[in-house]
Amino acid sequence: MTELKVLFTREQIAARVAELGQQISRDFAGEPVVLVGVLKGAAIFLSDLSRQIDLDSTFDFISVSSYGRQKQNSGEVKLLKDVDQSMEDKNVILVEDILDTGLTMAYLRKMILAHHPRAFRIAALLDKKCRRQQPIDADYTGFEIPDEFVVGYGMDYAERYRNLPDICVVE
Ligand code: IMP
Ligand code: MG
């Protein structure tokens, strides 16, 4: 049996997401932004974050997979779905659920920077800083967490648990 222990409640998540939204609204005041969500894990974070951003904004989505991942990231990234529009001269905020080794984000950053956006920022709900293999950091971070496997609020374990309203540790 998989045991789930609550790490962040829905109330804690909502409060932090609201703060991140306010910060982004201040930083890009008067300018439009494109929120690029990394499927599927960031879908719920993006939908909540976007409603806390008081700016003219549009959505786009990108999908990647790592070969042979279970709980472990193999280090190889494969692009499954690219953005629909060019990011040239746009204020791009890449929205991700977790920054772990940083391999996915380093790959996506390189890809998006090749479009020559006006600005590029990363918003990551969670950050497992201690796991980093690539030198990359988020500009907007929800919570820093230890090296534990988490699910809920969009995040999965073998595709399950994405719909849990709280963020839980799998034990
Ligand atoms: P990275 O390339 O190692 O930074 O991998 C980041 C991706 O791995 C995240 O976007 C998640 O999709 C996934 N991931 C890493 N840690 C967890 C976790 O604890 N729970 C669920 N997914 C995770
Ligand atoms: Mg992800």
Side-chain angles (χ1 to χ4, degrees):
M1 254 299 273
T2 310
E3 292 261 6
L4 301 175
K5 193 182 82 200
V6 175
L7 183 62
F8 298 111
T9 64
R10 60 203 81 181
E11 291 82 11
Q12 288 174 308
I13 300 166
R16 188 66 188 125
V17 170
E19 288 174 354
L20 296 179
Q22 286 159 16
Q23 213 179 325
I24 292 170
S25 305
R26 276 197 304 273
D27 291 355
F28 288 95
E31 294 196 47
V33 294
V34 186
L35 304 174
V36 178
V38 185
L39 294 173
K40 302 170 218 166
I44 292 178
F45 177 39
L46 184 143
S47 77
D48 283 348
L49 180 66
S50 66
R51 286 175 288 176
Q52 299 294 336
I53 295 177
D54 187 20
L55 299 171
D56 175 3
S57 42
T58 55
F59 292 1
D60 211 322
F61 291 95
I62 215 163
S63 181
V64 289
S65 80
S66 297
Y67 293 95
R69 172 186 299 166
Q70 267 293 312
K71 277 191 184 182
Q72 203 62 34
N73 194 322
S74 68
E76 282 176 271
V77 180
K78 180 180 161 196
L79 186 67
L80 300 178
K81 184 211 166 294
D82 204 343
V83 285
D84 297 334
Q85 308 141 49
S86 170
M87 297 291 132
E88 187 174 350
D89 207 32
K90 304 275 175 65
N91 294 312
V92 178
I93 302 175
L94 190 56
V95 181
E96 177 59 310
D97 52 1
I98 303 190
L99 198 43
D100 185 19
T101 63
L103 292 161
T104 308
M105 277 295 108
Y107 171 86
L108 292 177
R109 174 175 62 183
K110 195 170 156 204
M111 227 190 78
I112 290 175
L113 288 179
H115 287 236
H116 303 293
R118 180 198 299 261
F120 176 76
R121 302 282 187 275
I122 295 173
L125 179 63
L126 302 178
D127 187 359
K128 292 186 190 176
K129 252 194 173 62
C130 58
R131 294 254 309 157
R132 206 74 93 248
Q133 290 175 24
Q134 289 285 321
I136 188 160
D137 271 310
D139 302 281
Y140 306 101
T141 304
F143 305 97
E144 199 175 313
I145 63 167
D147 184 12
E148 299 204 75
F149 200 83
V150 295
V151 296
Y153 197 73
M155 292 167 285
D156 74 307
Y157 176 45
E159 294 299 325
R160 294 179 62 203
Y161 309 116
R162 292 193 194 275
N163 62 325
L164 297 179
D166 304 313
I167 296 175
C168 301
V169 174
V170 180
E171 303 194 310

